[in-house]
Amino acid sequence: MKLLISTVLALSLSISTTAVAVLPPGYEDHMWCPPGECKIYSIPFGDDYSDGPSSSFYFCYNSLTEEVTDGVWTGSLTDVQQPKGWEKPELCSKE
């Protein structure tokens, strides 16, 4: 019985740590933000979480309102189009 519990526990831990959602090229090639916004890098799930698609870490930032929003991601393998007037953002300065 202890062996069965140990096996189930080890299997569930290995599945949960190997299920990483990283998108291949073509799905998140370009990020778009509203005009005048820059992009920021954030680790929303803590320092232990470093895997995942770019959209999990990069966000649009409006320095006037200090609002953070999701960007729109486009790629050659998706039908997503950039919203009209949106721009490829520069990385925000540290100021």
Side-chain angles (χ1 to χ4, degrees):
M1 184 63 153
K2 286 183 180 181
L3 179 60
L4 177 61
I5 292 172
S6 298
T7 304
V8 170
L9 180 59
L11 181 59
S12 65
L13 288 174
S14 68
I15 290 172
S16 66
T17 58
T18 59
V20 177
V22 176
L23 297 175
Y27 291 95
E28 289 189 347
D29 297 338
H30 306 285
M31 179 184 182
W32 303 91
C33 291
E37 294 191 5
C38 57
K39 67 179 175 182
I40 60 169
Y41 179 80
S42 175
I43 303 177
F45 307 110
D47 292 336
D48 294 336
Y49 184 83
S50 62
D51 295 325
S54 296
S55 59
S56 293
F57 303 100
Y58 286 97
F59 301 92
C60 298
Y61 178 72
N62 184 319
S63 61
L64 298 175
T65 64
E66 297 185 351
E67 185 177 0
V68 176
T69 57
D70 290 331
V72 171
W73 292 84
T74 61
S76 60
L77 298 177
T78 69
D79 293 330
V80 177
Q81 299 292 318
Q82 82 182 71
K84 188 173 184 172
W86 284 36
E87 307 166 338
K88 287 185 185 178
E90 296 292 323
L91 194 58
C92 296
S93 65
K94 294 184 180 187
E95 297 176 3

